[in-house]
Amino acid sequence: MRLSDQFGYDITLSDSSALAAWNDTVTAFLAHGKATPLHLERCLELAPDFALGHAARGLFCLLLGRKELYATARECLSIARVSSADTPLTDRENAVVDALDAWLKGFPSRSADLLDAALVKVPADTLMMKLVHAIRFVIGDAAGMRHSIERVVSSYDETHPAYGYLLGCQAFSLEETGDYRLAEAAGRKGLEFARDDAWGLHAVAHVHDMTGRSEEGAGWLETHPDGWAHCNNFGYHVWWHLALMYLDQGDADKALALYDTDIRKDKTDDYRDISNAASLLVRLELEGVAVGARWDELALLSDKRAEDGCNVFADLHYLLALLNGGRRMGTERLLNGLRQRARSETDLGHVAAEAGLPTGLGLEQYRKGNYASAFSLLTSARDNLYLVGGSHAQRDVFERITIEAALRAGLPDDAERLIKSRTRKRGALDRFAEQRLETCERMQRAQLVMQDKKLKATGSV
C-alpha cells in the first residue's frame, strides 16, 4: 500500500509515522531548517528501505560540496537501487534516484534536467522544485532556475501547503535574472504564507543589494530577526547580507562586529561559511579596513580543504583564504587541483577550465602585486564566471578585485568600463562603484595632464 505526501502525490511508504517524518523533512528542507537531517533520520529509521529518502539524502550530501560526503552519497544511491528493485518506485521517485546517479557521475546539469523533466508531470511537488532550484543555483544556471519555476507556478495557489516557499524560490530566480521589482513583490508575498522562508527573505535582501538600497535592505533584515533563527548554516549567510548593507553605508565597524559575533560565530569549515567570511574580509580590505589575524583561521581550515575538488565556487573562496593567509603550499595544491580538473570531461572540468583556473591564477597574481597580469586573467574568465555558481552578490567579490586590479595597474579606462558594466547588471550604483568612478576620473585627469604637450619640456634654456 502506498500513502500520499503533503502535496498529494503517491509515495512508497506504508507507515504513517514514517510519512509524517518525511513530510517534516521536506518542510524543514524548504525552510533551510537545521532540523532537516533529524527528521530524515527519523524517517529512515522507521522505513529503512525508503528509496526516495535515501536518494534525497544523497543529493543533500552533494549539495554540501564536501569530498568525504561523496562516499555517503554513493552509499545512498546503492541502498536506493537495491530498495527500488524490491519495491517498484513511482516515476518521480525514480527521477530523484537517477538524478543522484547523474551527479555522482560528474554531471549535476544532467541531474537537474532529469528532475525538471519529472517535475513537469508532478508540478505541485515542491520538493522536486526546490531540488532543481538548488542544483541549478550550484551550477550557475539562473535562467534554468527561473524557467523551471515558471513551468509549474500555475499549479500553485494559496491553498498549497508550500505556496510561500515556491514564491521565495521564484523571487530569487527573478532577482538573479534581473527582474528586481517582480522579485521583491514575490519575496514579500511569499513570507505572508511561509514566515520561516529564509530563502525568500534573503531574496528580497538581494534585491536591495543589487538596486543600491542598502539602508532599506538593512532595515528589512533588522525587522525580521526571527526570519532565519531556525536555519542551518544558511543563517550565517543572511547575517553576511546584513554586514554587506552596513559596509555599503560606510559602517565597517558594524560589519566587523557581525563577522565576529554571527558570521563566524561557529568556526565551521563548510564552504558556504568560508565563502561568506572570505568575501567579506576581502571587501573590507578593499575599503582600507585592517582585519587583523582573521585570515589565519580561514586559511587553516581552507588548507585542509584545498584538495576537495567538489565545487569550483568553494575552491575560489578557499583560495582567497589561502592567499591572504599566506599559505603558499596550500595555494599550490589547490591550483594544481584546478589544473587537473580542467582536463576532465565532466561538468566540473568544464567549469574549472572556463572560469575556475583563470580566475584562480588571477587571484594569485593579484596577491603577488602583479596587477596587470591579474586583470588580464580575471577578465578572461569574467563572462564565464557565472558557471561557478552562487549568486551575483556572492560573485561580486571577484568583480571588485578585477576592478581594483585595473586601477592598481594604471588602467582607469578599463576599470571604468567594468564598473559601468557591473552597474548595468545590478540596476544602480552602490558606494563601491561611486568611489571607484571618482578614482577613475582622478586618474584620467592625471593622464591628460601628463599627455599635455604644453607641459612637456621643449628644449634647454
mmCIF file of all heavy atoms in Angstrom, residues 1-6 8-20 22-23 47 49-52 83-95 122:
data_model
loop_
_atom_site.group_PDB
_atom_site.id
_atom_site.type_symbol
_atom_site.label_atom_id
_atom_site.label_comp_id
_atom_site.label_asym_id
_atom_site.label_seq_id
_atom_site.Cartn_x
_atom_site.Cartn_y
_atom_site.Cartn_z
ATOM 1 N N MET A 1 0.841 -1.201 0.000
ATOM 2 C CA MET A 1 0.000 0.000 0.000
ATOM 3 C C MET A 1 0.873 1.247 0.000
ATOM 4 O O MET A 1 1.881 1.314 0.688
ATOM 5 C CB MET A 1 -0.889 0.018 1.241
ATOM 6 C CG MET A 1 -1.837 1.215 1.289
ATOM 7 S SD MET A 1 -2.783 1.283 2.823
ATOM 8 C CE MET A 1 -1.517 1.828 3.970
ATOM 9 N N ARG A 2 0.482 2.225 -0.812
ATOM 10 C CA ARG A 2 1.192 3.493 -0.850
ATOM 11 C C ARG A 2 0.371 4.582 -0.183
ATOM 12 O O ARG A 2 -0.855 4.622 -0.295
ATOM 13 C CB ARG A 2 1.479 3.901 -2.301
ATOM 14 C CG ARG A 2 2.582 3.104 -2.975
ATOM 15 C CD ARG A 2 2.716 3.521 -4.417
ATOM 16 N NE ARG A 2 3.827 2.853 -5.076
ATOM 17 C CZ ARG A 2 4.021 2.849 -6.389
ATOM 18 N NH1 ARG A 2 3.171 3.468 -7.183
ATOM 19 N NH2 ARG A 2 5.059 2.224 -6.906
ATOM 20 N N LEU A 3 1.078 5.484 0.474
ATOM 21 C CA LEU A 3 0.450 6.662 1.056
ATOM 22 C C LEU A 3 0.713 7.863 0.151
ATOM 23 O O LEU A 3 1.523 7.791 -0.776
ATOM 24 C CB LEU A 3 1.006 6.908 2.458
ATOM 25 C CG LEU A 3 0.776 5.785 3.477
ATOM 26 C CD1 LEU A 3 1.497 6.110 4.782
ATOM 27 C CD2 LEU A 3 -0.707 5.563 3.725
ATOM 28 N N SER A 4 0.055 8.958 0.429
ATOM 29 C CA SER A 4 0.287 10.192 -0.314
ATOM 30 C C SER A 4 0.973 11.208 0.581
ATOM 31 O O SER A 4 0.678 11.305 1.776
ATOM 32 C CB SER A 4 -1.042 10.771 -0.823
ATOM 33 O OG SER A 4 -1.649 9.888 -1.734
ATOM 34 N N ASP A 5 1.885 11.988 -0.023
ATOM 35 C CA ASP A 5 2.596 13.000 0.766
ATOM 36 C C ASP A 5 1.752 14.261 0.887
ATOM 37 O O ASP A 5 0.607 14.317 0.427
ATOM 38 C CB ASP A 5 3.972 13.283 0.165
ATOM 39 C CG ASP A 5 3.903 13.935 -1.212
ATOM 40 O OD1 ASP A 5 2.808 14.361 -1.630
ATOM 41 O OD2 ASP A 5 4.951 14.023 -1.877
ATOM 42 N N GLN A 6 2.324 15.278 1.511
ATOM 43 C CA GLN A 6 1.578 16.512 1.776
ATOM 44 C C GLN A 6 1.172 17.253 0.510
ATOM 45 O O GLN A 6 0.294 18.126 0.550
ATOM 46 C CB GLN A 6 2.427 17.434 2.660
ATOM 47 C CG GLN A 6 3.758 17.844 2.032
ATOM 48 C CD GLN A 6 4.645 18.577 3.016
ATOM 49 O OE1 GLN A 6 4.194 19.472 3.710
ATOM 50 N NE2 GLN A 6 5.906 18.193 3.095
ATOM 51 N N GLY A 8 0.023 15.589 -2.149
ATOM 52 C CA GLY A 8 -0.996 14.789 -2.806
ATOM 53 C C GLY A 8 -0.481 13.756 -3.778
ATOM 54 O O GLY A 8 -1.257 13.187 -4.552
ATOM 55 N N TYR A 9 0.831 13.489 -3.742
ATOM 56 C CA TYR A 9 1.412 12.512 -4.657
ATOM 57 C C TYR A 9 1.738 11.208 -3.932
ATOM 58 O O TYR A 9 2.154 11.212 -2.769
ATOM 59 C CB TYR A 9 2.687 13.071 -5.294
ATOM 60 C CG TYR A 9 2.420 14.255 -6.192
ATOM 61 C CD1 TYR A 9 2.865 15.533 -5.849
ATOM 62 C CD2 TYR A 9 1.713 14.106 -7.381
ATOM 63 C CE1 TYR A 9 2.630 16.623 -6.662
ATOM 64 C CE2 TYR A 9 1.464 15.199 -8.204
ATOM 65 C CZ TYR A 9 1.925 16.456 -7.844
ATOM 66 O OH TYR A 9 1.663 17.531 -8.658
ATOM 67 N N ASP A 10 1.563 10.091 -4.673
ATOM 68 C CA ASP A 10 1.875 8.782 -4.103
ATOM 69 C C ASP A 10 3.348 8.682 -3.750
ATOM 70 O O ASP A 10 4.217 9.240 -4.437
ATOM 71 C CB ASP A 10 1.536 7.666 -5.100
ATOM 72 C CG ASP A 10 0.050 7.401 -5.190
ATOM 73 O OD1 ASP A 10 -0.689 7.946 -4.354
ATOM 74 O OD2 ASP A 10 -0.367 6.654 -6.096
ATOM 75 N N ILE A 11 3.598 7.933 -2.700
ATOM 76 C CA ILE A 11 4.961 7.756 -2.210
ATOM 77 C C ILE A 11 5.080 6.335 -1.678
ATOM 78 O O ILE A 11 4.108 5.768 -1.154
ATOM 79 C CB ILE A 11 5.259 8.811 -1.116
ATOM 80 C CG1 ILE A 11 6.733 8.947 -0.840
ATOM 81 C CG2 ILE A 11 4.471 8.544 0.137
ATOM 82 C CD1 ILE A 11 7.054 10.183 -0.006
ATOM 83 N N THR A 12 6.235 5.717 -1.837
ATOM 84 C CA THR A 12 6.385 4.306 -1.459
ATOM 85 C C THR A 12 6.656 4.171 0.040
ATOM 86 O O THR A 12 7.711 3.697 0.469
ATOM 87 C CB THR A 12 7.508 3.628 -2.268
ATOM 88 O OG1 THR A 12 8.693 4.416 -2.174
ATOM 89 C CG2 THR A 12 7.111 3.470 -3.710
ATOM 90 N N LEU A 13 5.707 4.640 0.805
ATOM 91 C CA LEU A 13 5.704 4.471 2.253
ATOM 92 C C LEU A 13 4.352 3.907 2.667
ATOM 93 O O LEU A 13 3.312 4.318 2.123
ATOM 94 C CB LEU A 13 5.943 5.802 2.971
ATOM 95 C CG LEU A 13 7.365 6.363 2.987
ATOM 96 C CD1 LEU A 13 7.378 7.750 3.621
ATOM 97 C CD2 LEU A 13 8.323 5.443 3.728
ATOM 98 N N SER A 14 4.377 3.011 3.620
ATOM 99 C CA SER A 14 3.127 2.454 4.129
ATOM 100 C C SER A 14 2.937 2.737 5.614
ATOM 101 O O SER A 14 1.878 2.465 6.171
ATOM 102 C CB SER A 14 3.095 0.937 3.896
ATOM 103 O OG SER A 14 4.228 0.322 4.503
ATOM 104 N N ASP A 15 3.957 3.308 6.238
ATOM 105 C CA ASP A 15 3.924 3.619 7.663
ATOM 106 C C ASP A 15 3.578 5.106 7.821
ATOM 107 O O ASP A 15 4.324 5.983 7.357
ATOM 108 C CB ASP A 15 5.286 3.309 8.283
ATOM 109 C CG ASP A 15 5.324 3.531 9.788
ATOM 110 O OD1 ASP A 15 4.800 4.559 10.250
ATOM 111 O OD2 ASP A 15 5.901 2.684 10.497
ATOM 112 N N SER A 16 2.475 5.382 8.482
ATOM 113 C CA SER A 16 2.035 6.776 8.625
ATOM 114 C C SER A 16 3.012 7.611 9.443
ATOM 115 O O SER A 16 3.171 8.821 9.197
ATOM 116 C CB SER A 16 0.643 6.829 9.263
ATOM 117 O OG SER A 16 0.649 6.216 10.540
ATOM 118 N N SER A 17 3.699 7.003 10.396
ATOM 119 C CA SER A 17 4.689 7.748 11.187
ATOM 120 C C SER A 17 5.893 8.115 10.328
ATOM 121 O O SER A 17 6.445 9.222 10.446
ATOM 122 C CB SER A 17 5.136 6.909 12.390
ATOM 123 O OG SER A 17 4.065 6.688 13.277
ATOM 124 N N ALA A 18 6.312 7.200 9.466
ATOM 125 C CA ALA A 18 7.410 7.494 8.546
ATOM 126 C C ALA A 18 7.013 8.595 7.580
ATOM 127 O O ALA A 18 7.819 9.484 7.253
ATOM 128 C CB ALA A 18 7.812 6.235 7.789
ATOM 129 N N LEU A 19 5.760 8.557 7.123
ATOM 130 C CA LEU A 19 5.277 9.603 6.223
ATOM 131 C C LEU A 19 5.294 10.964 6.908
ATOM 132 O O LEU A 19 5.700 11.969 6.307
ATOM 133 C CB LEU A 19 3.863 9.276 5.757
ATOM 134 C CG LEU A 19 3.199 10.345 4.881
ATOM 135 C CD1 LEU A 19 3.966 10.534 3.580
ATOM 136 C CD2 LEU A 19 1.740 9.983 4.609
ATOM 137 N N ALA A 20 4.862 10.999 8.160
ATOM 138 C CA ALA A 20 4.876 12.269 8.900
ATOM 139 C C ALA A 20 6.297 12.803 9.026
ATOM 140 O O ALA A 20 6.540 14.003 8.862
ATOM 141 C CB ALA A 20 4.255 12.072 10.283
ATOM 142 N N TRP A 22 8.718 12.174 6.981
ATOM 143 C CA TRP A 22 9.153 12.601 5.643
ATOM 144 C C TRP A 22 8.592 13.977 5.297
ATOM 145 O O TRP A 22 9.314 14.847 4.796
ATOM 146 C CB TRP A 22 8.720 11.573 4.604
ATOM 147 C CG TRP A 22 8.992 12.024 3.189
ATOM 148 C CD1 TRP A 22 8.088 12.352 2.238
ATOM 149 C CD2 TRP A 22 10.286 12.233 2.591
ATOM 150 N NE1 TRP A 22 8.717 12.743 1.079
ATOM 151 C CE2 TRP A 22 10.068 12.679 1.280
ATOM 152 C CE3 TRP A 22 11.593 12.074 3.059
ATOM 153 C CZ2 TRP A 22 11.112 12.962 0.406
ATOM 154 C CZ3 TRP A 22 12.644 12.370 2.194
ATOM 155 C CH2 TRP A 22 12.420 12.802 0.892
ATOM 156 N N ASN A 23 7.310 14.175 5.591
ATOM 157 C CA ASN A 23 6.731 15.497 5.342
ATOM 158 C C ASN A 23 7.442 16.576 6.152
ATOM 159 O O ASN A 23 7.679 17.692 5.659
ATOM 160 C CB ASN A 23 5.242 15.482 5.680
ATOM 161 C CG ASN A 23 4.404 14.775 4.623
ATOM 162 O OD1 ASN A 23 4.802 14.680 3.466
ATOM 163 N ND2 ASN A 23 3.250 14.268 5.022
ATOM 164 N N ALA A 47 11.507 3.604 8.132
ATOM 165 C CA ALA A 47 11.356 2.993 6.804
ATOM 166 C C ALA A 47 12.738 2.880 6.160
ATOM 167 O O ALA A 47 13.081 3.656 5.265
ATOM 168 C CB ALA A 47 10.420 3.833 5.940
ATOM 169 N N ASP A 49 14.012 1.051 3.997
ATOM 170 C CA ASP A 49 14.072 0.749 2.563
ATOM 171 C C ASP A 49 13.439 1.850 1.708
ATOM 172 O O ASP A 49 13.155 1.621 0.526
ATOM 173 C CB ASP A 49 13.356 -0.583 2.289
ATOM 174 C CG ASP A 49 14.052 -1.753 2.972
ATOM 175 O OD1 ASP A 49 15.289 -1.715 3.087
ATOM 176 O OD2 ASP A 49 13.348 -2.690 3.389
ATOM 177 N N PHE A 50 13.243 3.018 2.280
ATOM 178 C CA PHE A 50 12.592 4.116 1.565
ATOM 179 C C PHE A 50 13.585 4.739 0.570
ATOM 180 O O PHE A 50 14.420 5.566 0.926
ATOM 181 C CB PHE A 50 12.101 5.143 2.578
ATOM 182 C CG PHE A 50 11.374 6.320 1.995
ATOM 183 C CD1 PHE A 50 10.534 6.188 0.906
ATOM 184 C CD2 PHE A 50 11.529 7.573 2.569
ATOM 185 C CE1 PHE A 50 9.865 7.282 0.378
ATOM 186 C CE2 PHE A 50 10.863 8.674 2.066
ATOM 187 C CZ PHE A 50 10.028 8.524 0.961
ATOM 188 N N ALA A 51 13.475 4.328 -0.689
ATOM 189 C CA ALA A 51 14.450 4.728 -1.701
ATOM 190 C C ALA A 51 14.511 6.239 -1.898
ATOM 191 O O ALA A 51 15.595 6.817 -2.037
ATOM 192 C CB ALA A 51 14.130 4.037 -3.027
ATOM 193 N N LEU A 52 13.349 6.889 -1.941
ATOM 194 C CA LEU A 52 13.338 8.337 -2.143
ATOM 195 C C LEU A 52 14.073 9.051 -1.017
ATOM 196 O O LEU A 52 14.808 10.017 -1.248
ATOM 197 C CB LEU A 52 11.899 8.841 -2.253
ATOM 198 C CG LEU A 52 11.721 10.358 -2.363
ATOM 199 C CD1 LEU A 52 12.441 10.916 -3.584
ATOM 200 C CD2 LEU A 52 10.233 10.725 -2.390
ATOM 201 N N SER A 83 16.672 -1.001 -2.944
ATOM 202 C CA SER A 83 15.283 -0.851 -2.484
ATOM 203 C C SER A 83 14.311 -0.788 -3.662
ATOM 204 O O SER A 83 13.215 -1.361 -3.609
ATOM 205 C CB SER A 83 15.147 0.415 -1.636
ATOM 206 O OG SER A 83 15.950 0.333 -0.476
ATOM 207 N N SER A 84 14.715 -0.100 -4.725
ATOM 208 C CA SER A 84 13.819 0.034 -5.880
ATOM 209 C C SER A 84 13.632 -1.291 -6.598
ATOM 210 O O SER A 84 12.606 -1.512 -7.250
ATOM 211 C CB SER A 84 14.363 1.085 -6.850
ATOM 212 O OG SER A 84 15.606 0.671 -7.403
ATOM 213 N N ALA A 85 14.624 -2.166 -6.486
ATOM 214 C CA ALA A 85 14.488 -3.493 -7.087
ATOM 215 C C ALA A 85 13.470 -4.335 -6.331
ATOM 216 O O ALA A 85 12.773 -5.176 -6.921
ATOM 217 C CB ALA A 85 15.843 -4.196 -7.111
ATOM 218 N N ASP A 86 13.362 -4.101 -5.039
ATOM 219 C CA ASP A 86 12.426 -4.860 -4.207
ATOM 220 C C ASP A 86 11.026 -4.265 -4.219
ATOM 221 O O ASP A 86 10.031 -4.986 -4.156
ATOM 222 C CB ASP A 86 12.935 -4.911 -2.761
ATOM 223 C CG ASP A 86 14.225 -5.713 -2.634
ATOM 224 O OD1 ASP A 86 14.474 -6.570 -3.496
ATOM 225 O OD2 ASP A 86 14.977 -5.447 -1.676
ATOM 226 N N THR A 87 10.970 -2.927 -4.275
ATOM 227 C CA THR A 87 9.690 -2.220 -4.234
ATOM 228 C C THR A 87 9.620 -1.230 -5.396
ATOM 229 O O THR A 87 10.377 -0.255 -5.406
ATOM 230 C CB THR A 87 9.520 -1.458 -2.908
ATOM 231 O OG1 THR A 87 9.685 -2.364 -1.817
ATOM 232 C CG2 THR A 87 8.153 -0.797 -2.834
ATOM 233 N N PRO A 88 8.777 -1.470 -6.382
ATOM 234 C CA PRO A 88 8.685 -0.548 -7.521
ATOM 235 C C PRO A 88 8.416 0.878 -7.069
ATOM 236 O O PRO A 88 7.571 1.117 -6.201
ATOM 237 C CB PRO A 88 7.510 -1.109 -8.324
ATOM 238 C CG PRO A 88 7.442 -2.552 -7.957
ATOM 239 C CD PRO A 88 7.839 -2.608 -6.505
ATOM 240 N N LEU A 89 9.142 1.817 -7.636
ATOM 241 C CA LEU A 89 9.020 3.228 -7.268
ATOM 242 C C LEU A 89 8.099 3.954 -8.229
ATOM 243 O O LEU A 89 7.848 3.501 -9.349
ATOM 244 C CB LEU A 89 10.394 3.903 -7.282
ATOM 245 C CG LEU A 89 11.506 3.267 -6.460
ATOM 246 C CD1 LEU A 89 12.759 4.145 -6.535
ATOM 247 C CD2 LEU A 89 11.080 3.071 -5.016
ATOM 248 N N THR A 90 7.619 5.104 -7.802
ATOM 249 C CA THR A 90 6.886 5.980 -8.707
ATOM 250 C C THR A 90 7.894 6.633 -9.655
ATOM 251 O O THR A 90 9.105 6.629 -9.418
ATOM 252 C CB THR A 90 6.145 7.078 -7.929
ATOM 253 O OG1 THR A 90 7.112 7.933 -7.297
ATOM 254 C CG2 THR A 90 5.234 6.478 -6.875
ATOM 255 N N ASP A 91 7.380 7.214 -10.719
ATOM 256 C CA ASP A 91 8.267 7.850 -11.702
ATOM 257 C C ASP A 91 9.072 8.982 -11.074
ATOM 258 O O ASP A 91 10.257 9.146 -11.355
ATOM 259 C CB ASP A 91 7.445 8.394 -12.873
ATOM 260 C CG ASP A 91 6.901 7.287 -13.764
ATOM 261 O OD1 ASP A 91 7.398 6.142 -13.662
ATOM 262 O OD2 ASP A 91 5.986 7.567 -14.566
ATOM 263 N N ARG A 92 8.445 9.768 -10.216
ATOM 264 C CA ARG A 92 9.176 10.898 -9.633
ATOM 265 C C ARG A 92 10.237 10.410 -8.656
ATOM 266 O O ARG A 92 11.314 10.992 -8.555
ATOM 267 C CB ARG A 92 8.239 11.893 -8.961
ATOM 268 C CG ARG A 92 7.551 11.392 -7.695
ATOM 269 C CD ARG A 92 6.810 12.519 -7.007
ATOM 270 N NE ARG A 92 6.149 12.033 -5.807
ATOM 271 C CZ ARG A 92 6.065 12.727 -4.681
ATOM 272 N NH1 ARG A 92 6.606 13.923 -4.601
ATOM 273 N NH2 ARG A 92 5.452 12.223 -3.630
ATOM 274 N N GLU A 93 9.957 9.320 -7.947
ATOM 275 C CA GLU A 93 10.964 8.762 -7.051
ATOM 276 C C GLU A 93 12.156 8.232 -7.851
ATOM 277 O O GLU A 93 13.318 8.458 -7.483
ATOM 278 C CB GLU A 93 10.342 7.654 -6.200
ATOM 279 C CG GLU A 93 9.349 8.173 -5.165
ATOM 280 C CD GLU A 93 8.637 7.058 -4.426
ATOM 281 O OE1 GLU A 93 8.235 6.069 -5.079
ATOM 282 O OE2 GLU A 93 8.492 7.168 -3.191
ATOM 283 N N ASN A 94 11.859 7.560 -8.956
ATOM 284 C CA ASN A 94 12.935 7.079 -9.825
ATOM 285 C C ASN A 94 13.765 8.246 -10.363
ATOM 286 O O ASN A 94 14.988 8.136 -10.514
ATOM 287 C CB ASN A 94 12.360 6.282 -11.001
ATOM 288 C CG ASN A 94 12.167 4.815 -10.672
ATOM 289 O OD1 ASN A 94 13.043 4.197 -10.067
ATOM 290 N ND2 ASN A 94 11.037 4.256 -11.072
ATOM 291 N N ALA A 95 13.117 9.360 -10.633
ATOM 292 C CA ALA A 95 13.826 10.525 -11.163
ATOM 293 C C ALA A 95 14.844 11.050 -10.156
ATOM 294 O O ALA A 95 15.960 11.455 -10.529
ATOM 295 C CB ALA A 95 12.834 11.624 -11.530
ATOM 296 N N VAL A 122 4.641 16.248 -12.225
ATOM 297 C CA VAL A 122 4.142 16.409 -10.847
ATOM 298 C C VAL A 122 4.390 17.858 -10.423
ATOM 299 O O VAL A 122 5.159 18.137 -9.499
ATOM 300 C CB VAL A 122 4.830 15.421 -9.875
ATOM 301 C CG1 VAL A 122 4.313 14.014 -10.096
ATOM 302 C CG2 VAL A 122 6.359 15.442 -10.033
#
